[in-house]
Amino acid sequence: MTDQARSATATMTESMKTATDQMKAAGGKAAETTQALNSKIIDQAETNVREAFAALRAAATAGSMGDILKVQGDYVREQSARNMAQAKEIGEMIANFGRSAMGQAGTMPGMPGMSGTPTDSN
């Protein structure tokens, strides 16, 4: 092998190793994010169930049909607000993961237009 071929092979091997390491790190980050999302969704579900049972208890002990309708209306209004806040929180977590993943992809060697080693586009 010529020195030029050895150098090219070494450079390619190093770039592939770096890309593999970065992909492994990204996979670990994805697993962490998935775990955090799952935990957040379970926490939100627990909150929603707790609030539903509180509303049921309040309705069961209500003194009149008007009181029951008020409890139901309050629950629907509060649950709607809670759903919006929960969706926003999950959306932000997903968006942050996406931004982080795109930032990591931008440092991968051989990615055209990224901050890694440019490739020949011909």
Side-chain angles (χ1 to χ4, degrees), residues 15 18 25 110 114:
S15 290
T18 301
M114 303 290 187

Side-chain angles (χ1 to χ4, degrees), residues 7-49:
S7 177
T9 301
T11 300
M12 186 182 337
T13 301
E14 186 59 34
S15 290
M16 292 173 83
K17 182 185 178 313
T18 301
T20 301
D21 291 345
Q22 289 176 339
M23 289 174 73
K24 284 180 185 177
K29 182 65 176 167
E32 289 173 17
T33 301
T34 299
Q35 185 177 12
L37 277 170
N38 289 340
S39 293
K40 181 56 66 180
I41 290 168
I42 289 169
D43 290 345
Q44 291 176 349
E46 287 175 347
T47 297
N48 293 341
V49 169

Side-chain angles (χ1 to χ4, degrees), residues 52-75:
F53 276 104
L56 285 171
R57 283 188 193 95
T61 60
S64 69
M65 184 56 102
D67 291 341
I68 292 172
L69 292 174
K70 181 181 180 334
V71 167
Q72 184 179 18
D74 290 347
Y75 170 76

Side-chain angles (χ1 to χ4, degrees), residues 22 100-109 111 114-115:
Q22 289 176 339
S100 174
M102 291 305 295
Q104 288 177 354
T107 63
M108 292 182 73
M111 295 294 291
M114 303 290 187
S115 60

